[in-house]
Amino acid sequence: MIDIRSGETIQELASEHSIILFQFSSKACTPCVAIRQRLEVWLSSHEQVEARHISIDAHPELAAQNDVLSFPTVVVYIDGQVAICESGYFSLDEIFAKLERLIELMS
């Protein structure tokens, strides 16, 4: 998963990719590191899913513009619309299962 680049916006990326996952995190968030590692492993076998990591330390405006109030947060857009949004304590396995069902439906 790559870090969001300067000048990229969530809205533009969501409109350019049929499926895109965003992980919002902070340097002070220990669980965010473990979640990113698990996401990267899952993403390596799901190449149809684009992904960006957003550090709120570097891009607080992106968190504010997208109503992200706690960390970690994972947001998935499908065809430009929010399909999954989980913050705080959540199950990555449930997110993966939802994503795999959505990917199947889109195939």
Side-chain angles (χ1 to χ4, degrees), residues 4-106:
I4 196 160
R5 297 178 189 106
S6 181
E8 286 184 319
T9 68
I10 290 173
Q11 291 72 24
E12 288 173 356
L13 289 166
S15 67
E16 292 171 5
H17 303 281
S18 58
I19 306 173
I20 186 161
L21 178 148
F22 296 97
Q23 181 202 5
F24 290 85
S25 68
S26 169
K27 289 178 188 172
C29 174
T30 303
C32 295
V33 175
I35 288 171
R36 184 173 183 174
Q37 291 170 345
R38 285 208 50 214
L39 285 170
E40 288 175 341
V41 169
W42 186 85
L43 288 163
S44 69
S45 62
H46 295 83
E47 294 179 7
Q48 66 273 52
V49 179
E50 187 66 32
R52 292 290 188 280
H53 173 260
I54 302 171
S55 167
I56 61 105
D57 303 304
H59 302 284
E61 73 286 356
L62 292 177
Q65 291 166 4
N66 292 279
D67 299 322
V68 174
L69 304 173
S70 64
F71 308 98
T73 294
V74 172
V75 181
V76 178
Y77 283 78
I78 295 185
D79 294 330
Q81 301 295 318
V82 174
I84 299 170
C85 183
E86 297 288 344
S87 294
Y89 182 78
F90 55 85
S91 167
L92 273 179
D93 291 330
E94 288 179 16
I95 291 175
F96 296 153
K98 287 179 190 176
L99 266 170
E100 287 173 5
R101 282 192 302 270
L102 291 168
I103 290 167
E104 271 187 45
L105 291 172
M106 295 177 71

